[in-house]
Amino acid sequence: MNAATARHILDTIGTMFPDAHCELNHNNAFELTIAVLLSAQCSDQMVNKVTADLFQKYKSPEDYLAVPLEELEQDIRRIGLYRNKAKHIHNLCRILIDQYGGEIPSEHDQLVKLPGVGRKTANVVVSTAFDVPAIAVDTHVERVSKRLGFAGWNDSVLEVEKKLMKRVPRDEWSVTHHRLIFFGRYHCKAQNPQCQVCPLLDVCREGKKRMKTSLIRKDKKRRA
């Protein structure tokens, strides 16, 4: 992919989703970290339903540690993998109190050491809560990046992130992260992407393949 094509893609998606943002409801870095932790293998919509009550009950790391683990499990049981996530939250809160004065650290290398916080979560937190440029590669970003040719089909999540960081200007990393998510969530979906009305069809290898397959099927039906 050359620089002109990359710019065209970024500008087009920016025009489609100029107001893209983090859709996980939160009031501070601590709540954001908990919300992103809960969002693993779970929709943002479901996380927001659960955290609506959760964040009313628990305001600080001390609040989470003040209840038995079983109670926290029940509070988040609608979330996938809720037992493991409850353990991560308890352990994370203990570390925050013991090592960081109860506050979420702003450094990426410190965040990834927290229980349940992987590279993607850390990127979301530093970007959204601390305004540090970062690209978090979730399932939508990975899918869109591979379909549009920013990354190879067999690239790992880390490889996708590194290639995006090379193609996207640093001061656009965070907004591009959100726009790629919106593009993948609401337009270039995993199933039934809107290829037929996509303004990027001309540069999308996946879209061209799908449209060609669709035309072949229609032609076969017409001849049958």
Side-chain angles (χ1 to χ4, degrees), residues 145-215:
S145 297
K146 291 181 176 181
R147 284 178 174 177
L148 291 174
F150 277 113
W153 293 115
N154 297 318
D155 283 348
S156 66
V157 170
L158 181 58
E159 288 171 331
V160 172
E161 180 185 336
K162 289 181 177 180
K163 288 184 177 180
L164 283 171
M165 289 167 67
K166 287 182 179 179
R167 291 294 183 187
V168 179
R170 191 174 189 274
D171 61 352
E172 296 179 37
W173 285 358
S174 296
V175 69
T176 296
H177 152 70
H178 293 304
R179 287 173 177 171
L180 289 176
I181 289 177
F182 269 52
F183 185 74
R185 180 175 289 160
Y186 301 114
H187 181 81
C188 189
K189 302 176 183 179
Q191 302 296 328
N192 301 316
Q194 300 176 41
C195 301
Q196 67 278 6
V197 295
C198 184
L200 291 174
L201 180 61
D202 61 325
V203 295
C204 180
R205 53 186 178 178
E206 174 71 9
K208 291 177 180 177
K209 178 181 177 182
R210 284 176 176 268
M211 293 302 291
K212 182 178 180 180
T213 301
S214 177
L215 288 174

Side-chain angles (χ1 to χ4, degrees), residues 10 18 32 34 42-43 46 87 99 101 116 129 140 160 162 198:
L10 296 177
L32 176 62
I34 298 297
C42 182
S43 69
M46 176 55 73
K87 290 179 183 177
Q99 299 183 25
H140 299 297
V160 172
K162 289 181 177 180
C198 184

Side-chain angles (χ1 to χ4, degrees), residues 30 34 57-68 71-72 89-104:
F30 177 58
I34 298 297
K57 180 176 180 179
Y58 304 98
K59 301 291 186 180
S60 68
E62 290 83 359
D63 291 341
Y64 284 96
L65 294 176
V67 302
E71 183 174 340
L72 177 57
I89 291 173
H90 257 208
N91 292 334
L92 179 150
C93 288
R94 173 56 61 194
I95 292 174
L96 291 182
I97 292 171
D98 291 345
Q99 299 183 25
Y100 299 104
E103 300 292 330
I104 292 291

Side-chain angles (χ1 to χ4, degrees), residues 7 25-26 28 31 43 53 117 122 139 144 162 169 185 188 192 194-195 199 207:
R7 188 68 264 168
N25 296 332
H26 64 282
N28 50 57
E31 288 186 353
S43 69
D53 293 325
V117 178
T139 181
V144 169
K162 289 181 177 180
R185 180 175 289 160
C188 189
N192 301 316
Q194 300 176 41
C195 301

